Amino acid sequence: MREGDPVIGRDAELRDVTRTLLSTGASARTLLLVGGPGTGKTALLEQARRAAAGAGAHVLRLRCHDAGSPPGAAALADGVHSVLAKFHDRRSPVRVGAVRRIRLQSTGQDGELALLSVLGEILADAAAHIPFAVVVDDIERMPRPTASALGLLLRVFRPAGVPMVMAGRPVRPGADGASPLTAAADRLLELPPLRPADLEALVVRRLGRPVEPALVTAVLAALGPMSGTPAAVLSILDAMDEHGDLLELDGQVCLTEPERALRFTTDTTELSRLCWPESPPDADSLDDAAAVARSVGHAEVRLDDLLRLKPGGPRRAGLVDRAVTPLVRDGILTVDRDGRMAFAVPALAATLRALPTHHDVSSLHALITRSLTDRLGAETAGSCYPRLAEHVAAAGGELDDALAVDVLLAAARADARSDWPRSVRAYASALRRLKPHDHRTADVLRESAELSLRHADHTGALALGEPLLAHLTTTQAQERNRGSLDFVAEVWALAALHEHRLPEDIPDGDARGPMPAVAQLVELVGPFGLGPVPPRSGTETPRPSTTGQRTGSGPLPSVPELQLLAAAAGSHSELSAVLRTLPADADSTPDLDRLRTAAVHADLTGALSAVLGDRYTGSGNSTAAWYHAMVRDYLEGDWDQALVSARRIEARSRTRGTTAGAAQPARALAAEIHCTRGELRLAQNWLALIPEAVSHPLVVWARLGVRYWSGQREEALAGALGDVRRAREQGLHSGTEKVLLRYVSFALVAGLPQIMPEALAELEALHEVVGSPMTREAVLFGRGLVHGDTDSALAALRSVRLRGDAYLGLLCCLSLMEIGDESAPWQAEASKTAQSLGIGRATRTTLGHMTRRRTFGLPRTRPAGDEFGEEDVRLTTMVSEGATNRQIAARLAWSEKTVERRLSRLFRRTGCRSRVELAAAWLDGSLARRVLVPDGAPPRTGGPVPGPGGARRP
């Protein structure tokens, strides 16, 4: 923590220490504050010292650790001499002189006792004239003789009226240092680990901005048993900042580095203080620890593996005794019942792996492998010890390819059911060693592809691209195994789509033969917003698949099913034509309504699930899976969670070492959420990430909303119909109803009724072509707006409720408020929905004026004179959640005085007289109907003015 920052999560301990420092006179007590390295003892002691000094106490620091005198009573006397030198009363010279004289005269044990007796009397005399307290930090560094002298002073010659607070690490039994002081203290106060909520506040304060909860979770997971140690958290944050692993999105800090790679700063002094507090390692020990960390990080290492090594390599006794045993003794390395070794703190292991080492770790893995293959043979060793595959991969060139491939393939096949992720890694290692022309390559590619597809491991499937393309250029690929290679290529292409990447360089027809299913996969990038829309093949009869046997019975979609996916964004006639090509004996019947909804929102996972049903193996942890969750949360109205998914997708697309690309639909949906909430700056930031050339209807819909509410009304409306027509020319019909409906709504808000019938006609024409439930809802809703047709608006609302779309339901309620006879029920439902969606003050204010003027409840830009900004909204939200000023200050990176000032300003401008009244007005929506008082205006009359903490002042 920075010097002067208040400690977090130590309120009770801070009160205890401060109370002790203020307990001068007859109530003086001695407190021993203990805590592990990095728990914040020094910071707590300093804040308590400042608090006591603010209350009028004199707090002096006793230093007797590094005195020039020999350890013991003499060193303690030097420290007391320095303390007394800070007094400036008429008796100060007498006291200082007495200490100096007795210091020179004391020899032997009796002399030390006399010295301690005089020190106690002199300190008591000083305290009687000028009350003061003493703090002693880092007592674990105090030599045992000095600690014994201080303990004797406190127990036998205790200076009356002098409170003392000592701070240090817990001392293990039998260790030197501060143990004599434990019995001398009146009270022992131990600092517990910080709670997760306090650690989150610590992270927010250090970064100066709100953070994604996932970042805090990742940091705590990387720290393991050290997760409650503030210094360890700060060390990881410093390392992340140093290596550029942080990304700010939506005003929140996100993590772009994989969780496993989080590490401490590589300052060896700081590393030793945190992780080796008792016995810091020397250079050789640190080098050994780095080697062990690399070995354990590359493969599962067991003690049996090391004990099995033959003399001649790293001798087993030297390796175990010199490197492993000290780490286990210090609790840094753990060994489970099966002998598996692992570092207790993952961040320490990652830090050690980043340090240089002179040990040849690859040779160690090669020796571990040979210790089994020499005895059992390569295939038997791989089958009996599948974990050997990781040692083979880590050995690299230390093992010849022939031996390595035999071990890897045997291990991969043995592990396929029990530990499929390790099996995928083994197949990948084998493919890196196999020559493209090897007769086994095609079979290995297929086995790996089947395994990745079965477990929705799209990252593993993407890794097959390079060996697949290399093998396709060989003679063997042209002559045999064509069906296997088609299957692998389709799995690869489908994985690319799941990671929201354009599947480039996938062969779709050349001298090696056609791949119609792969070509159909490539055609999906347009309808699902993953790239430009390729030329469409129209409604021609699909080409038969060269795989011969695949007619919709396996986990991969057949060619007709792929055409169905592509046609989901097209017309009803296209969809019907493709449906007729599906085999009558297909395992599942496509859910067309779900398919249409998924296509409108560019949701690949939802579309595949609607078409394949139980045959769909899932989207795993892919970008498509996160986007599917985002669409679900958006439709259900959980917009905060939808934004979490958007930030996760964006951070994932920028993470080093991954293959995920940017998801344009996720950016568009995030921009739409912020725009609807009135957070135009954030919406514009998301929209700026989308290239202008992207013309997917979902992007066009969000772009129209952001530009309209940003003040570009004429340009936004003028370009909307053109974008819709271009999308139709490209065969993308589904989703354009959202653009047209927004066009009608904005025309109503802008007072342009003359253009509303044209847009409604476009909607009706679109419904004739598409005929989906969403186009029907849009037409009914449009008729309600344009013609004041209450029955149509009610029918649209019933359909929306059945399908599930919280925001469109809100718009239907607002429409019924305008055209219906009874507006009160719709206003209540609209207000409740707007509150649940987190829609901003502009919309809630609109709800209050709907009965007085004709408008439409969409977000509007903030009036120039309105000072109720985003920070005010966040402050009000936290007050309504019951947060204290201290908690608000930590989360917003403000000082407590700033929180008090902003709260006073809010109370004055809203007329609320307490925190409770402010929270109630916010939660029931009535705060939006209050007239804000401009800054600088006199406070309202009629009631007392609330103070900073919410208390009423006369």
Side-chain angles (χ1 to χ4, degrees):
M1 291 179 286
R2 297 180 179 88
E3 185 177 355
D5 282 346
V7 294
I8 291 177
R10 305 293 193 196
D11 294 346
E13 292 83 359
L14 179 61
R15 285 194 299 268
D16 289 341
V17 176
T18 305
R19 190 179 298 117
T20 300
L21 294 176
L22 293 173
S23 64
T24 55
S27 61
R29 293 291 182 268
T30 300
L31 174 69
L32 177 58
L33 178 68
V34 297
T39 52
K41 301 180 296 296
T42 300
L44 177 62
L45 204 61
E46 178 60 24
Q47 185 168 343
R49 188 194 65 79
R50 292 198 303 268
H58 295 278
V59 183
L60 304 176
R61 191 179 299 276
L62 176 63
R63 300 182 185 275
C64 47
H65 305 63
D66 306 316
S69 302
L76 181 60
D78 288 344
V80 172
H81 180 278
S82 299
V83 168
L84 295 176
K86 298 177 182 178
F87 284 88
H88 301 289
D89 64 342
R90 61 185 180 83
R91 293 182 54 84
S92 293
V94 177
R95 299 189 197 104
V96 172
V99 172
R100 185 181 296 114
R101 285 193 303 274
I102 193 64
R103 163 76 174 80
L104 295 174
Q105 295 170 3
S106 62
T107 57
Q109 184 176 4
D110 293 339
E112 287 194 356
L113 293 176
L115 175 59
L116 294 176
S117 176
V118 172
L119 291 179
E121 294 173 358
I122 292 175
L123 288 171
D125 177 72
H129 289 79
I130 305 177
F132 69 97
V134 174
V135 295
V136 189
D137 199 3
D138 297 327
I139 59 173
E140 74 279 354
R141 293 172 44 213
M142 189 179 294
R144 186 175 183 82
T146 307
S148 298
L150 180 56
L152 192 59
L153 174 68
L154 295 178
R155 292 198 311 271
V156 179
F157 308 106
R158 184 166 191 164
V162 181
M164 182 174 293
V165 175
M166 302 173 289
R169 300 174 187 169
V171 179
R172 295 185 297 183
D176 290 339
S179 55
L181 298 176
T182 304
D186 297 318
R187 183 183 174 194
L188 179 68
L189 179 61
E190 185 172 0
L191 290 183
L194 287 183
R195 298 170 300 176
D198 296 325
L199 290 170
E200 180 178 359
L202 179 64
V203 173
V204 169
R205 187 173 70 185
R206 169 50 66 93
L207 297 179
R209 293 154 290 175
V211 298
E212 268 282 339
L215 187 151
V216 179
T217 302
V219 170
L220 298 185
L223 288 174
M226 294 181 65
S227 60
T229 305
V233 174
L234 297 178
S235 180
I236 283 188
L237 293 177
D238 290 342
M240 292 163 63
D241 194 32
E242 178 184 350
H243 294 94
D245 301 334
L246 300 174
L247 172 69
E248 185 171 354
L249 295 168
D250 280 354
Q252 297 193 36
V253 181
C254 306
L255 176 67
T256 62
E257 185 71 18
E259 181 179 310
R260 184 175 179 271
L262 294 185
R263 59 185 186 269
F264 297 123
T265 56
T266 52
D267 182 340
T268 55
T269 302
E270 179 68 11
L271 191 65
S272 299
R273 185 181 73 86
L274 284 174
C275 303
W276 283 274
E278 303 300 335
S279 54
D282 55 22
D284 291 338
S285 299
L286 200 60
D287 185 53
D288 293 341
V292 173
R294 290 191 185 186
S295 301
V296 174
H298 292 157
E300 179 185 302
V301 180
R302 303 193 185 193
L303 278 177
D304 290 346
D305 297 328
L306 302 180
L307 297 176
R308 196 184 298 117
L309 296 179
K310 298 178 181 178
R315 301 247 174 208
R316 61 186 186 186
L319 184 68
V320 173
D321 294 343
R322 188 187 68 251
V324 175
T325 302
L327 293 174
V328 174
R329 182 192 62 227
D330 293 336
I332 295 172
L333 192 68
T334 62
V335 181
D336 65 10
R337 293 183 178 180
D338 294 327
R340 286 186 292 261
M341 296 189 296
F343 278 79
V345 179
L348 173 60
T351 307
L352 291 172
R353 287 195 297 268
L355 296 178
T357 177
H358 76 277
H359 292 283
D360 189 354
V361 177
S362 59
S363 296
L364 173 62
H365 290 288
L367 285 169
I368 292 174
T369 303
R370 289 196 186 98
S371 68
L372 290 170
T373 57
D374 290 349
R375 181 161 53 91
L376 302 175
E379 293 186 6
T380 303
S383 299
C384 296
Y385 299 92
R387 61 187 178 84
L388 207 58
E390 295 179 335
H391 291 285
V392 173
E398 295 290 329
L399 294 174
D400 62 87
D401 288 345
L403 173 66
V405 169
D406 288 343
V407 175
L408 289 169
L409 292 181
R413 288 159 183 160
D415 246 348
R417 292 186 179 275
S418 59
D419 192 345
W420 68 263
R422 189 164 61 187
S423 179
V424 168
R425 294 195 297 271
Y427 275 122
S429 298
L431 286 170
R432 283 193 292 270
R433 289 180 179 265
L434 278 171
K435 304 299 182 185
H437 54 77
D438 193 294
H439 69 280
R440 295 171 292 180
T441 300
D443 291 336
V444 174
L445 282 168
R446 182 176 182 91
E447 290 173 19
S448 182
E450 288 176 342
L451 189 61
S452 293
L453 180 62
R454 186 184 311 133
H455 296 283
D457 177 28
H458 302 294
T459 301
L462 275 175
L464 300 177
E466 184 177 348
L468 170 65
L469 293 177
H471 183 67
L472 284 172
T473 61
T474 64
T475 304
Q476 289 83 350
Q478 298 177 25
E479 296 174 350
R480 51 184 294 188
N481 297 320
R482 190 62 206 187
S484 290
L485 297 179
D486 286 357
F487 171 80
V488 176
E490 292 170 30
V491 173
W492 178 35
L494 189 61
L497 294 179
H498 274 93
E499 293 297 351
H500 283 204
R501 292 180 58 197
L502 178 64
E504 300 171 347
D505 300 326
I506 297 181
D508 60 347
D510 53 18
R512 298 185 292 271
M515 286 186 174
V518 173
Q520 292 289 339
L521 278 166
V522 174
E523 287 187 10
L524 295 181
V525 300
F528 291 95
L530 308 181
V533 181
R536 292 179 59 81
S537 57
T539 57
E540 64 184 23
T541 303
R543 294 173 290 176
S545 172
T546 57
T547 54
Q549 301 299 319
R550 198 161 56 76
T551 58
S553 59
L556 278 177
S558 64
V559 170
E561 287 171 334
L562 288 173
Q563 288 190 320
L564 182 64
L565 288 166
S571 66
H572 178 72
S573 60
E574 288 181 81
L575 199 62
S576 299
V578 176
L579 281 172
R580 289 193 293 270
T581 67
L582 292 177
D585 58 346
D587 288 349
S588 58
T589 302
D591 187 335
L592 295 185
D593 287 348
R594 282 180 59 201
L595 178 60
R596 285 289 201 183
T597 300
V600 166
H601 296 96
D603 178 12
L604 178 69
T605 292
L608 285 168
S609 178
V611 171
L612 299 180
D614 293 339
R615 291 164 45 214
Y616 183 44
T617 55
S619 51
N621 191 37
S622 64
T623 303
W626 280 100
Y627 182 66
H628 177 69
M630 182 182 182
V631 171
R632 180 197 63 219
D633 292 331
Y634 173 80
L635 293 176
E636 292 178 355
D638 190 354
W639 284 7
D640 289 332
Q641 188 59 41
L643 288 174
V644 169
S645 296
R647 291 190 289 268
R648 181 69 61 89
I649 292 170
E650 190 65 29
R652 182 187 179 100
S653 72
R654 306 186 194 188
T655 297
R656 297 192 299 272
T658 67
T659 55
Q664 309 301 348
R667 291 170 170 173
L669 210 52
E672 166 63 19
I673 290 173
H674 284 302
C675 178
T676 305
R677 287 179 165 181
E679 300 162 346
L680 293 178
R681 181 180 59 81
L682 296 176
Q684 290 163 348
N685 291 343
W686 280 106
L687 199 61
L689 298 174
I690 305 176
E692 284 290 331
V694 178
S695 59
H696 189 276
L698 192 70
V699 175
V700 174
W701 169 65
R703 190 179 285 151
L704 170 61
V706 174
R707 289 179 175 175
Y708 181 91
W709 292 116
S710 297
Q712 307 172 35
R713 300 188 176 186
E714 292 75 11
E715 298 90 330
L717 290 172
L721 293 181
D723 289 335
V724 168
R725 289 166 183 149
R726 278 190 293 274
R728 288 181 182 175
E729 291 171 0
Q730 295 174 332
L732 300 183
H733 297 282
S734 291
T736 56
E737 69 273 11
K738 296 173 73 71
V739 184
L740 291 171
L741 187 58
R742 175 156 285 177
Y743 183 92
V744 174
S745 304
F746 287 170
L748 175 62
V749 175
L752 299 172
Q754 66 275 14
I755 66 174
M756 293 172 64
E758 178 187 2
L760 179 59
E762 289 273 358
L763 265 177
E764 292 172 335
L766 176 67
H767 181 55
E768 289 292 328
V769 173
V770 177
S772 71
M774 292 192 70
T775 56
R776 178 177 177 273
E777 291 169 3
V779 168
L780 291 173
F781 191 9
R783 288 173 181 169
L785 291 177
V786 176
H787 302 308
D789 187 344
T790 305
D791 292 337
S792 293
L794 281 170
L797 178 59
R798 285 193 294 269
S799 177
V800 167
R801 283 172 172 169
L802 184 64
R803 180 174 57 83
D805 188 332
Y807 182 52
L808 190 55
L810 168 64
L811 300 185
C812 289
C813 290
L814 294 175
S815 174
L816 287 167
M817 287 175 60
E818 286 291 301
I819 63 179
D821 296 331
E822 294 290 335
S823 63
W826 305 120
Q827 183 175 5
E829 182 175 346
S831 178
K832 181 179 179 181
T833 304
Q835 186 70 36
S836 68
L837 296 179
I839 292 178
R841 174 179 172 271
T843 298
R844 292 198 301 274
T845 301
T846 300
L847 297 178
H849 295 285
M850 286 290 288
T851 56
R852 296 196 296 272
R853 68 182 184 87
R854 186 173 179 82
T855 185
F856 195 72
L858 291 173
R860 280 166 282 152
T861 54
R862 181 165 48 89
D866 184 5
E867 296 294 334
F868 201 90
E870 294 177 13
E871 290 183 341
D872 296 316
V873 172
R874 291 163 60 192
L875 178 60
T876 307
T877 302
M878 282 186 276
V879 169
S880 68
E881 293 171 349
T884 65
N885 285 4
R886 184 185 296 272
Q887 291 169 331
I888 294 172
R891 291 174 61 183
L892 297 183
W894 292 350
S895 68
E896 291 189 49
K897 288 187 177 180
T898 300
V899 175
E900 293 177 359
R901 186 171 65 253
R902 294 298 292 266
L903 277 175
S904 297
R905 179 169 167 266
L906 272 179
F907 289 138
R908 183 178 66 252
R909 298 176 62 238
T910 60
C912 295
R913 296 176 294 178
S914 69
R915 297 167 74 98
V916 174
E917 186 177 340
L918 179 66
W922 171 257
L923 294 175
D924 66 13
S926 64
L927 188 64
R929 296 191 293 272
R930 295 175 183 259
V931 179
L932 296 181
V933 176
D935 281 341
R940 299 178 182 178
T941 59
V945 178
R952 299 183 181 182
R953 297 186 306 195

